[in-house]
Amino acid sequence: MKTVWEKLTAKEEKALFAFGEDYRKFLGMTKTEREFVREAEKLAKAAGFKPLAEVKKLKAGDKVYAVNRKKNLCMFVIGEKPLTEGMNILGAHIDSPRLDLKQHTVYEKDGLVLLDTHYYGGIKKYQWVARPMALHGVVVKKDGTIVEICIGEKSTDPVVGISDLLIHLAAKQMEKPAAKVVEGEALNVLAGSRPMKKEEKEPVKAYLLKLFKDQYGIEEDDFLSAEIEVVPADEPRDYGLDRSMIMGYGHDDRVCAYTSLRAILETEKPERTSCCILVDKEEIGSVGATGMHSRWFETVVTKLLALSGKATPVEINETFEHSRMLSSDVSNAFDPNYPEVSDPKNSAYFGGGIVFMKFTGSRGKGGSNDANPEYVAEIRRVMDDNKVTFQTCELGAVDVGGGGTIAYILAQLNMDVIDAGIPVQNMHAPSEVVSKADVYEGYRAYKAFLKDVK
Ligand code: MN
Ligand code: MN
C-alpha cells in the first residue's frame, strides 16, 4: 500500500500539517455536542451561511443552515440542479463517550464530596479512572436561565477525577475480569474535601454547594435540570516523535464531523445541492430528538423544498431517493499490538487515507447498511478522478465483534449511502489517536464528493 505521505508534494505536506493544526485546536474547544454546534455555527456565519428561518427565497449558490436544540445542525449549499434531483450529503456525529452527572449527583461520604455519574456510550470503565477530568455542560434553572459550566480546561483551573485502587491493596481486584475491575456505580467523581466551618451536617458537601451558589448562582435542586459531561481535561497533542498523528479526546466522531464541516464551508456553486448533517446521540443508538432517527432532518429538507414551491409528498420522497450520502464515522486502525482481531486484507491502516466500508454490522453483517456496488463504483470514480488516496475495510475480523453507524437510518429514506471515515486507535478511550494524513485525505475526499458525485 502506498500511503498518503509518499504521494505528497512539498506544498501538499505544508497544507496537511496546517489542516492538522486547525483540527487539533478545534477538537480542544469542542468536547461536547453543544460546544461543537456553537463553534461550527460561528464558522458557518463567517463563511456566509444564513439561518434557514430567515431566508425567503433560494437560488443556486445560496448557503443556509439550521440548528436543532443547540445539539445538532445541518448546512446546505444550493446547487444548480433542482433539489428534487437529489443532494450530496455528508453526515457524521458530534457526541462522544463520556460520563454524565446523574440528576441526584452531589453527595458526601467519609469526609469527601463526590459526584455520581452514569456513563454515556460504550466504554472500558477502567480507562476512565486516575486521570484529570473536566466538567462541561449546562444547568437550566426553573426560570429558563441557562448557566454554562466549563471547569478544568484553563491551566489555572482545578480538575476533578475518579480514584483508582492502589496496586498494593488490589490483589483481589486484579483477579477480576476487565469488565468488572471498575463497576459503573464506582464511577464517582471526587469534587472536594474541605469542610464548611461550623456546619455539623455534611460540611464538605455544604462547602461545595456554597461554591456553586456563589460562582454560578445554582442550588442543589438545579442539577435536576442539568446536562453536565465529565470529559478528559487534556488538550489534544501532536503524537509520535515525527508529529504525524494527533492524540485527543473525542476523535470519534468529531474528526469526521470537522473534516465534513470544512468541506462544505469551502463549497461554492455545486452542481447538486451540498448538505452536511451533524448529529447527536449516535453513541447511544441515534435516539432522541437530536439523534439521526429524529424527523428533524426531513422537516428541514421539506422547508427547503417549500421555498422553491416543490414540497408535495412525492417531491420530498424523490429528493431523498435521488440523494447520495457519505455516512462518516471512525473505523479501527490496524493495531500491531492486537493483530488477531482484524483481517489484514480488509483493514484500515494509518496513512492509508480515507476509509470506505461497504458494510459494517456484526454476526453476518447484522444491522448494516451494505452499500450497493453501483454506488461504490461511483465513489471509486470520483476519488480516482480527484487523486484522493482511499482504502477499504471491515470493522474487525468476522465474528470478532462489530459496530453500527448512522448509515442505515438515512438509507431508510431510500438513498444511496456508504460508510466512510478516518481510522482511529484507542477508539472510545479517553485519548484516541488519528493520523494527520488520513484527516487531510478525509477532508479532500469530502470536497471531491460534494463537487463530483452524480
Ligand atoms: Mn462513531
Ligand atoms: Mn463510537
Side-chain angles (χ1 to χ4, degrees):
M1 180 186 78
K2 214 167 180 195
T3 65
V4 174
W5 299 109
E6 289 153 282
K7 296 175 194 170
L8 289 176
T9 62
K11 199 177 150 208
E12 286 167 333
E13 189 175 307
K14 224 176 144 195
L16 180 153
F17 279 102
F19 191 92
E21 187 57 11
D22 286 351
Y23 169 59
R24 192 186 67 77
K25 285 189 181 139
F26 193 87
L27 184 67
M29 288 191 295
T30 55
K31 293 191 177 179
T32 68
E33 44 290 313
R34 282 174 193 262
E35 290 170 354
F36 195 104
V37 167
R38 187 189 66 205
E39 296 303 319
E41 193 175 353
K42 279 186 208 163
L43 294 180
K45 280 184 175 161
F49 283 76
K50 300 227 157 50
L52 178 59
E54 293 172 13
V55 172
K56 297 269 175 311
K57 239 181 161 173
L58 282 177
K59 58 174 190 317
D62 282 354
K63 300 172 177 183
V64 292
Y65 75 95
V67 171
N68 185 22
R69 293 174 167 82
K70 300 175 189 160
K71 290 163 80 169
N72 80 302
L73 89 162
C74 63
M75 304 161 68
F76 301 88
V77 182
I78 306 302
E80 306 281 351
K81 288 187 168 172
L83 207 50
T84 45
E85 290 187 28
M87 302 176 279
N88 289 354
I89 305 171
L90 299 172
H93 70 90
I94 53 176
D95 59 316
S96 298
R98 58 182 191 247
L99 313 173
D100 285 340
L101 293 193
K102 289 186 182 181
Q103 286 187 285
H104 287 291
T105 188
V106 190
Y107 70 102
E108 176 169 338
K109 193 143 196 293
D110 308 318
L112 300 174
V113 60
L114 297 124
L115 306 173
D116 203 349
T117 69
H118 192 144
Y119 63 95
Y120 172 98
I123 59 168
K124 288 175 159 181
K125 295 171 205 108
Y126 64 79
Q127 292 178 329
W128 293 71
V129 298
R131 62 183 342 280
M133 303 292 281
L135 301 174
H136 288 234
V138 292
V139 179
V140 186
K141 300 209 280 187
K142 275 198 288 185
D143 66 1
T145 325
I146 298 175
V147 183
E148 305 247 3
I149 306 274
C150 181
I151 309 168
E153 295 300 339
K154 292 192 218 101
S155 60
T156 50
D157 275 358
V159 292
V160 293
I162 296 160
S163 63
D164 196 5
L165 190 56
L166 59 167
I167 184 68
H168 316 68
L169 302 179
K172 242 188 181 161
Q173 184 199 34
M174 298 297 280
E175 285 165 13
K176 291 184 186 175
K180 303 256 167 181
V181 167
V182 174
E183 306 243 17
E185 276 299 350
L187 294 171
N188 303 314
V189 174
L190 180 54
S193 63
R194 179 173 175 176
M196 181 121 91
K197 279 183 187 156
K198 292 183 195 141
E199 181 79 33
E200 306 239 312
K201 204 180 139 245
E202 303 192 316
V204 187
K205 177 177 170 181
Y207 192 91
L208 188 77
L209 288 176
K210 188 170 180 310
L211 272 182
F212 278 126
K213 175 87 182 157
D214 292 349
Q215 290 181 17
Y216 297 97
I218 52 180
E219 314 274 350
E220 185 175 9
D221 276 356
D222 292 328
F223 284 101
L224 294 176
S225 47
E227 191 165 75
I228 297 182
E229 307 179 10
V230 187
V231 296
D234 335 61
E235 274 255 344
R237 302 280 295 269
D238 279 352
Y239 191 69
L241 302 181
D242 57 4
R243 297 181 181 268
S244 61
M245 299 166 278
I246 299 172
M247 173 178 256
Y249 164 67
H251 286 311
D252 178 6
D253 183 33
R254 293 184 192 117
V255 68
C256 296
Y258 179 77
T259 41
S260 296
L261 172 68
R262 280 285 297 265
I264 195 163
L265 286 174
E266 294 167 22
T267 296
E268 300 286 345
K269 297 222 163 126
E271 209 173 297
R272 284 156 62 82
T273 293
S274 300
C275 169
C276 173
I277 168 137
L278 303 176
V279 289
D280 178 28
K281 299 279 191 286
E282 192 277 340
E283 296 294 356
I284 58 168
S286 296
V287 290
T290 52
M292 195 65 250
H293 278 299
S294 164
R295 299 293 295 272
W296 181 69
F297 181 59
E298 290 162 75
T299 306
V300 173
V301 173
T302 305
K303 282 181 187 165
L304 272 190
L305 283 162
L307 285 173
S308 53
K310 279 191 169 181
T312 65
V314 171
E315 286 161 336
I316 295 166
N317 286 331
E318 273 180 356
T319 302
F320 290 124
E321 186 180 324
H322 299 145
S323 290
R324 302 192 123 175
M325 185 198 193
L326 291 185
S327 165
S328 290
D329 207 340
V330 293
S331 64
N332 62 313
F334 188 87
D335 186 345
N337 283 339
Y338 301 95
E340 66 281 5
V341 300
S342 299
D343 163 14
K345 305 188 294 311
N346 290 286
S347 290
Y349 294 83
F350 272 165
I354 181 147
V355 194
F356 293 104
M357 279 163 284
K358 189 171 177 300
F359 49 86
T360 58
S362 54
R363 291 171 298 278
K365 301 188 179 181
S368 155
N369 158 66
D370 208 351
N372 288 311
E374 290 86 348
Y375 181 44
V376 183
E378 169 69 356
I379 297 289
R380 287 175 57 207
R381 177 189 73 79
V382 171
M383 294 304 132
D384 286 347
D385 285 355
N386 287 277
K387 300 195 166 52
V388 173
T389 306
F390 72 91
Q391 46 188 336
T392 60
C393 84
E394 285 188 39
L395 187 74
V398 180
D399 284 344
V400 169
T405 64
I406 61 170
Y408 76 96
I409 306 166
L410 272 296
Q412 282 165 356
L413 297 171
N414 190 24
M415 69 175 76
D416 276 317
V417 184
I418 184 168
D419 279 288
I422 289 163
V424 61
Q425 268 192 1
N426 308 353
M427 197 188 296
H428 286 204
S431 290
E432 300 174 323
V433 179
V434 293
S435 158
K436 289 179 187 176
D438 304 328
V439 174
Y440 185 63
E441 215 58 7
Y443 154 72
R444 290 187 61 235
Y446 298 145
K447 284 181 83 159
F449 171 85
L450 291 181
K451 183 167 68 73
D452 284 349
V453 162
K454 291 198 172 73

